[in-house]
Amino acid sequence: SSALTIEEEVSRVTDDKEQLPEGRWRMEDKSADYGYMPLRTRYQPQGCWPSANEVLPVRCAVPMNETRFKAFNFVWRNDTWWEKLKQYQLDLGFNLEFGGLAVGRTTENRVNEVEMRAHGGTGLDVDSSKRMKGISDESKICLVGYSHSYHLIYALWANKLGHRFIWARARYPSDLSTEFFEQYYHIRNCTTFVIGVGQWSAAAVNGGRGPYSLMQWRDEMTSVVTNEDIFKIDGEIKLFLRSIHHNPIGITIGKCQPSNWRSPPVIDSYNMILEKIVSNVNNSRLDYLDTTFITKPLWDSSHDWNHLPHKVSSVEALFIAYVLLVI
């Protein structure tokens, strides 16, 4: 049969990884503010659309409550890596305020603003002569994707590491042509690309393009990473397939029938396929960047039912910086 089954395509043992994660989330239960809350999955019941100054009924407020997540802090296994990472930090003389739960276009606008000030432009519209003093000509790392990628850029700047990273806008695997990589290589000096484009592929039907079946996701991502012309652009080109972030069970995901397919089983399957693609291709300049040990334990903590809160993004950003700049 030509049908793709999850068992055939994504089955694997996840408990035998040779390298343990670099840390874990720990509940700081000493604070009486948080109390002892059961570890139940947060979800958005049907009809629970919060609006300004609205007091949600109990049937909405209890399952949507975010309070318990405040008690969790990430604990790194050791601090030796942090000392190595500090040499890559650069204070450019301006301080971005990243407080609160700014999401959506607010975050996108702040990322665009800082890239304009630091690099002289955003995307492929850049004037290097306007680049801020102190930004070197060294090669950059492009975070490829859309809102989940610019939230990572946001977190990198908050940790004074943004000068090495560029947001490269893309939504679907089909956006990742040879020309895409050539342009970001020549205009933005990117030689490393961290690809995270699965959110749109698994989302609502959008212009007839989504959601992608497991087979379509496998085939299109395989086409990207087996495109030899991409690696011929420069001998230093390297691609990382970043694990796709999980989305909380919001109204559009949890209803029957869903109009948004970014449920945990789908994202898990997408990620398992990415890891298997990397293993099958066996290219030394291709790797799988698994950050699920950071993102998955608090997968349902997103304030806007889509993007990871800054507390989680910040940890993920530091880990990505460490992997790409230090190891």
Side-chain angles (χ1 to χ4, degrees):
S1 172
S2 60
L4 178 70
T5 66
I6 291 179
E7 290 79 8
E8 291 171 343
E9 195 62 21
V10 302
S11 62
R12 56 183 298 274
V13 177
T14 58
D15 296 330
D16 61 351
K17 293 185 177 179
E18 295 180 1
Q19 186 173 1
L20 294 174
E22 297 295 327
R24 60 187 174 86
W25 291 98
R26 183 174 67 190
M27 187 175 186
E28 306 290 350
D29 56 0
K30 296 179 180 179
S31 173
D33 294 337
Y34 308 133
Y36 291 91
M37 301 190 67
L39 295 178
R40 60 167 65 95
T41 298
R42 178 170 166 262
Y43 70 96
Q44 187 178 26
Q46 297 302 303
C48 293
W49 288 104
S51 58
N53 301 319
E54 177 188 4
V55 178
L56 291 171
V58 172
R59 78 171 191 89
C60 297
V62 172
M64 292 171 61
N65 186 274
E66 303 168 55
T67 303
R68 63 184 179 275
F69 298 113
K70 296 178 181 178
F72 288 89
N73 291 304
F74 198 83
V75 180
W76 296 100
R77 189 167 53 180
N78 61 63
D79 294 328
T80 57
W81 67 275
W82 178 242
E83 293 301 319
K84 296 177 182 178
L85 188 60
K86 282 183 179 179
Q87 64 182 300
Y88 291 95
Q89 288 184 306
L90 179 67
D91 188 346
L92 297 176
F94 56 88
N95 182 31
L96 295 180
E97 295 296 332
F98 291 100
L101 291 164
V103 295
R105 288 199 59 80
T106 300
T107 304
E108 181 177 2
N109 287 343
R110 289 187 180 186
V111 170
N112 284 331
E113 177 187 356
V114 72
E115 287 204 344
M116 284 288 294
R117 294 168 66 184
H119 301 296
T122 64
L124 295 171
D125 184 14
V126 178
D127 183 349
S128 59
S129 67
K130 298 179 180 179
R131 186 172 57 199
M132 178 170 282
K133 184 178 180 181
I135 294 289
S136 70
D137 290 324
E138 61 189 338
S139 62
K140 300 297 188 292
I141 299 167
C142 269
L143 297 191
V144 180
Y146 214 77
S147 59
H148 286 249
S149 290
Y150 68 61
H151 274 260
L152 277 172
I153 293 287
Y154 184 94
L156 286 159
W157 277 109
N159 286 282
K160 299 181 180 179
L161 290 162
H163 61 289
R164 289 296 306 274
F165 293 84
I166 300 293
W167 173 32
R169 295 154 171 78
R171 290 186 171 94
Y172 296 97
S174 56
D175 295 334
L176 308 180
S177 62
T178 304
E179 182 182 14
F180 174 90
F181 291 97
E182 286 178 336
Q183 289 179 322
Y184 276 96
Y185 170 75
H186 290 294
I187 297 175
R188 303 307 303 271
N189 198 23
C190 284
T191 55
T192 299
F193 295 83
V194 179
I195 300 171
V197 294
Q199 287 286 327
W200 283 72
S201 299
V205 175
N206 186 351
R209 302 185 71 173
Y212 280 26
S213 67
L214 299 184
M215 181 176 288
Q216 184 179 5
W217 172 248
R218 178 202 64 187
D219 291 347
E220 292 202 12
M221 288 305 298
T222 300
S223 294
V224 172
V225 301
T226 56
N227 180 355
E228 294 182 2
D229 290 336
I230 294 173
F231 296 97
K232 290 178 180 177
I233 295 171
D234 187 293
E236 298 298 318
I237 295 288
K238 186 165 186 178
L239 307 185
F240 287 86
L241 304 186
R242 174 181 57 77
S243 53
I244 308 304
H245 297 151
H246 291 73
N247 300 74
I249 302 176
I251 288 177
T252 59
I253 293 175
K255 72 179 182 179
C256 188
Q257 163 154 336
S259 57
N260 183 335
W261 282 261
R262 290 180 289 184
S263 60
V266 172
I267 300 302
D268 280 341
S269 297
Y270 273 32
N271 284 336
M272 291 178 187
I273 287 173
L274 290 179
E275 190 167 6
K276 189 167 184 179
I277 287 172
V278 171
S279 176
N280 289 344
V281 171
N282 192 26
N283 182 339
S284 62
R285 291 196 279 156
L286 172 68
D287 208 346
Y288 178 60
L289 184 52
D290 187 358
T291 64
T292 55
F293 75 94
I294 296 170
T295 63
K296 199 172 181 181
L298 268 63
W299 70 277
D300 53 342
S301 62
S302 168
H303 178 73
D304 68 349
W305 302 94
N306 187 354
H307 306 94
L308 296 171
H310 180 64
K311 175 167 74 172
V312 181
S313 288
S314 185
V315 177
E316 184 185 24
L318 286 172
F319 180 73
I320 289 174
Y322 174 65
V323 170
L324 301 184
L325 298 176
V326 178
I327 293 181

